[in-house]
Amino acid sequence: MQEIFNIFIKSIFIDNMVFAYFLGMCSYLAVSKTVDTSFGLGIAVIFVLGITVPVDYLLNEHILKPGALAWLDPGFADVDLSFLSFILFIAIIASMVQLVEMVVEKFSPALYASLGIFLPLIAVNCAILGGSLFMQQRDYQSLAHATSFGLGSGVGFFLAIVGIAAIREKIRYSSIPPALRGLGITFIITGLMGIAFMSFLGIKL
Amino acid sequence: MSEEKKEREPLFSSKNLKLLKEPLNMSNPITVQVLGICSALAVTAKLKPAVVMTLSVIVVMAVSNVVISLLRNGIPPRIRIIVQLVVIATMVILVDQVLKAFVYDVSKQLSVFVGLIITNCIIMGRLEAFAMSNKPWPAFLDGIGNALGYGVILIIVAFFREFLGSGTIFDIKVIPQGFYDFGYANNGLMILPPMALITVGVIIWVQRYRNRALIEEN
């Protein structure tokens, strides 16, 4: 239990998707103009990461890993399908996003209205595929570990994007050298935020 | 239609050359179109992974641009994203297997970022914006051009980060020992992830300072 919680905290602060691995940068830069929209995108990312990482974990454990197919027949024990993981993960993500979109539309039209436009965007967000690939690389031991990693990474992305959106809303009123306006200053601020987040490196979990 | 027929003439007509050159500066995928930032930043602590990454992106991008351009009339618009993803993912699997076979240590360093070429927005973006509506040859040039524009930024960032951060270029020591004896120290901060962002920020600054047309309002 303790360890699961540790993974959660670690993936939010220490291995933050945006500041430590630069994942999901494209949508991070494109959708962070106002706090409202970035809030919506952040929630959608938590949602989708929380679903796709566990599903991809099961897929990896029972189909892709070397020897994972042993449950089918002992003869398959030395089959290694891990080279297929990219294509399967991306297929799972694309279909999960579609599924989530339909479910949300059916059961919570209000949430759908606020997430609506962001859900399809998320299918090609590197943070989502990155979450699954990191999960595969780090070889978590149980479904619960993988789920808490997925949720934690989502929360980390959420914090980062809402933070930068708040800063960008304020910074509109300051005078920035013309050539640095817009994209340039956003990069530099993200860098500074990243340095601030590095102070969490000292936490030993 | 008539214009398309004329294109027969030289393979490197000025229009085609423009496709190759534009992305290097005026419509650079990273600093102007803001595509494909994720992988650009993560692999730039050293030059070697940056160069390998650039080559992989060039291959994936050129081939998938050509494939999609050949298929463009046969793809139903509603499922085009899936088709594009499948083409890209197949190419990336090939590149990943080749890297694992021939440059295993670099492939380890790049870790998940080879896989993330699939969701690299440059590739999706160019397939969607260019290859879906153009012939294979211009699509091929557009792919090469954009991948090179991406690579140029990657290599500039990696050069500065490796030079200032570890005092090496391609793992060869370039700062003489004498400097260290005088008290020069490598700037360890340059190796850390946040400095990649700041380096790109500065590159954007310099580029926009020289190209006033690119400056954003607001």
Side-chain angles (χ1 to χ4, degrees), chain B residues 13-26:
Chain B
S13 60
S14 63
K15 199 171 131 219
N16 283 346
L17 268 187
K18 216 174 128 200
L19 287 176
L20 207 54
K21 276 191 208 145
E22 280 274 275
L24 288 181
N25 189 10
M26 284 307 281

Side-chain angles (χ1 to χ4, degrees), chain A residues 22 26 83 126 137 172 183, chain B residues 38 97 111 121 192 216 218:
Chain A
F22 314 106
C26 309
F83 68 93
C126 10
Q137 197 185 45
R172 209 168 296 151
L183 192 58
Chain B
C38 328
Q97 297 293 320
S111 75
C121 352
L192 298 172
E216 290 173 48
N218 171 23

Side-chain angles (χ1 to χ4, degrees), chain B residues 67-120:
Chain B
V67 171
I68 290 292
S69 169
L70 286 172
L71 292 175
R72 70 186 187 280
N73 296 324
I75 301 175
R78 295 193 57 173
I79 58 158
R80 65 183 194 285
I81 305 264
I82 299 279
V83 176
Q84 290 165 0
L85 276 177
V86 169
V87 171
I88 301 172
T90 316
M91 279 314 297
V92 171
I93 291 176
L94 287 179
V95 166
D96 184 47
Q97 297 293 320
V98 170
L99 288 184
K100 274 196 184 129
F102 293 103
V103 277
Y104 189 71
D105 53 325
V106 180
S107 148
K108 266 271 158 297
Q109 272 178 50
L110 290 174
S111 75
V112 301
F113 291 98
V114 178
L116 287 173
I117 298 178
I118 298 174
T119 47
N120 190 324

Side-chain angles (χ1 to χ4, degrees), chain B residues 130-147:
Chain B
F130 198 89
M132 283 299 283
S133 53
N134 281 283
K135 291 188 158 184
W137 175 245
F140 176 74
L141 290 179
D142 182 76
I144 299 270
N146 275 286

Side-chain angles (χ1 to χ4, degrees), chain A residues 88-164:
Chain A
L88 279 181
F89 284 175
I90 197 76
I92 290 284
I93 289 169
S95 46
M96 273 297 147
V97 168
Q98 200 82 62
L99 210 67
V100 167
E101 197 180 347
M102 288 191 290
V103 170
V104 172
E105 191 180 10
K106 180 97 179 32
F107 292 106
S108 167
L111 184 64
Y112 181 75
S114 56
L115 295 187
I117 31 169
F118 299 116
L119 278 175
L121 257 181
I122 283 177
V124 287
N125 186 330
C126 10
I128 311 291
L129 182 62
S132 291
L133 292 177
F134 273 125
M135 174 276 299
Q136 187 190 33
Q137 197 185 45
R138 290 180 193 159
D139 218 358
Y140 288 116
Q141 0 161 332
S142 78
L143 188 59
H145 289 76
T147 316
S148 86
F149 167 73
L151 287 174
S153 309
V155 174
F157 182 85
F158 171 82
L159 282 182
I161 196 168
V162 173
I164 191 81

